[in-house]
Amino acid sequence: MCRKLFFVGTVLLVMLLSACSKRVEIKLPYEGDKIVVNTLIQPDSVVYIRVTRSIPSNVLDDNGYKDIPGSTVTLSADGVSLTPLHVQQINGFSYFVSEQKAVRGKQYTVQVAAPGLTSVTATDTLPVAPDVKNAGAQRNSSRVQFTLKDGRGAGDYYRIRIYVADDMGGQGAYRLFRLDPAFNNNLVDFFTKSSYNSLVMSDERFDGKEVNFVLQTAEPIAALSQVTVEVSTLTRASYEYFSTITAQKEGGNVVIGNPVRVFTNVTNGYGIVGGINTRKMLFKVE
C-alpha cells in the first residue's frame, strides 16, 4: 500500500459552499438586510472572500444569495493592508481574491462596506497543521483508519472528511461515514447512528494524546479505489461555524425542537471569517 501526505492550499470555501448547498427551512426572525461575508483562510493559499446580501428565507430562489454591487472589501494582516484585491469568477460566483498568500502567525481582518448597508468586520487567525499519519483501509471493507497526535493544551478543534475515487486521477466524491462504535471508546461523545460527510470535534476527550481513529463508511470501499482522508485543524470560530452548520442540517427534518442559528463572527453582519489548516492523506486500496 502506498501513501502520500501533503498540505492543501486551495479554494476551500468553494468546497464548503458545495457541501452546504442543501436548503433547510428554519423559522427565525428576519433582522433586516445585512452584509454576508464568507472566507476560510488557509496557510500558503491566497484568500478568497465571498460577499453577498442577506434576504428572507421565503424569497430565496434557486440562484441563491446575490452579489452586492458597489461593495468595497479590504483585507489586512496584523493591521497591514493586503489590498488591492481582484474579483475572480469561480463556478459562477464572484470572489474578492488577495494577491498574497496567507501566513500562520498573523491575524487577518476583513472589512466590507456597501451602499445602503451597515459596514461589517471580522477577524481570525490560522491554526497549526494537524499531526496525522498511517491512513489506510482494506479492500471491500467499511473501515478507514488513521492516527492523530493532539497537541497538549485544551482548545484544539478538528474536521474529518473522506473522499473515494475509482482511480488515482482525482479526489473523488465525499463518502458518508461515522466513528466505528466497536472502536474509539474514548470518543463515545461523537458516536452517531447515522452517517455524515464530515465529523467536527474538539480535543476535550483526547487532549495531548495520540489517538487511532477508526471510521466506518456507509458503503464498502472497493479494491483499487483511491481514498483521501482529509483532516483539518480549525480555529474556535471555524469550529463553532461548522458545528452549527452540522446541527442545522441534522435538525432540518425535526418537527419539534428549537431552530439552530448558525454561528457568525461577522460584526453587524453574517457569515464566517475563519482559519483552517488542512492535510490530506492519499492511498490506494490494494
Side-chain angles (χ1 to χ4, degrees):
M1 178 184 299
C2 63
R3 300 185 178 91
K4 184 179 180 183
L5 177 64
F6 59 92
F7 285 91
V8 180
T10 58
V11 191
L12 293 174
L13 181 59
V14 176
M15 298 165 57
L16 168 66
L17 292 173
S18 299
C20 301
S21 60
K22 179 181 177 182
R23 186 181 304 175
V24 180
E25 297 297 334
I26 299 295
K27 300 297 184 182
L28 289 172
Y30 187 64
E31 299 176 351
D33 292 356
K34 295 185 178 182
I35 296 174
V36 182
V37 182
N38 284 291
T39 178
L40 295 176
I41 303 175
Q42 166 83 24
D44 302 319
S45 170
V46 295
V47 180
Y48 298 84
I49 305 169
R50 175 85 172 130
V51 175
T52 56
R53 181 190 190 117
S54 68
I55 56 176
S57 60
N58 63 327
V59 298
L60 180 64
D61 60 28
D62 291 336
N63 294 321
Y65 298 97
K66 306 295 185 181
D67 296 340
I68 307 176
S71 57
T72 302
V73 181
T74 60
L75 172 68
S76 61
D78 288 344
V80 178
S81 176
L82 299 182
T83 51
L85 307 176
H86 67 274
V87 178
Q88 182 177 345
Q89 294 290 321
I90 304 174
N91 295 332
F93 298 104
S94 297
Y95 291 84
F96 292 85
V97 185
S98 68
E99 298 289 344
Q100 302 178 35
K101 295 182 178 181
V103 179
R104 272 207 71 247
K106 296 182 180 295
Q107 185 177 70
Y108 287 86
T109 299
V110 177
Q111 296 175 301
V112 182
L117 296 171
T118 302
S119 298
V120 302
T121 184
T123 299
D124 205 5
T125 57
L126 303 180
V128 299
D131 187 353
V132 288
K133 60 183 179 181
N134 298 336
Q138 294 182 340
R139 62 183 179 180
N140 302 321
S141 168
S142 297
R143 289 194 176 108
V144 176
Q145 63 183 28
F146 69 93
T147 301
L148 167 68
K149 185 176 181 181
D150 182 65
R152 187 170 298 278
D156 292 325
Y157 308 96
Y158 300 96
R159 183 184 66 173
I160 301 168
R161 298 195 293 188
I162 299 175
Y163 309 89
V164 178
D166 292 333
D167 54 48
M168 298 298 287
Q171 177 174 268
Y174 290 108
R175 183 61 60 94
L176 298 178
F177 71 94
R178 63 173 184 162
L179 278 174
D180 194 324
F183 301 89
N184 304 119
N185 291 332
N186 56 332
L187 301 175
V188 64
D189 291 351
F190 306 106
F191 287 167
T192 61
K193 293 182 179 180
S194 301
S195 297
Y196 301 97
N197 64 13
S198 67
L199 173 64
V200 180
M201 61 174 58
S202 71
D203 69 344
E204 183 178 358
R205 281 279 187 173
F206 52 92
D207 176 44
K209 299 179 180 178
E210 186 170 277
V211 181
N212 185 45
F213 280 80
V214 181
L215 311 175
Q216 184 181 56
T217 56
E219 299 177 359
I221 299 173
L224 303 182
S225 296
Q226 173 189 271
V227 178
T228 303
V229 178
E230 177 192 277
V231 183
S232 302
T233 45
L234 310 171
T235 60
R236 179 59 185 262
S238 298
Y239 167 74
E240 295 286 357
Y241 179 75
F242 283 123
S243 295
T244 51
I245 282 286
T246 300
Q248 187 188 80
K249 282 180 147 185
E250 292 177 5
N253 297 321
V254 177
V255 177
I256 299 175
N258 295 322
V260 176
R261 188 182 294 273
V262 175
F263 172 84
T264 177
N265 66 344
V266 179
T267 303
N268 297 323
Y270 301 118
I272 181 66
V273 171
I276 185 170
N277 202 336
T278 299
R279 299 186 79 176
K280 291 187 177 183
M281 294 172 283
L282 278 69
F283 58 90
K284 190 172 184 179
V285 178
E286 302 292 353

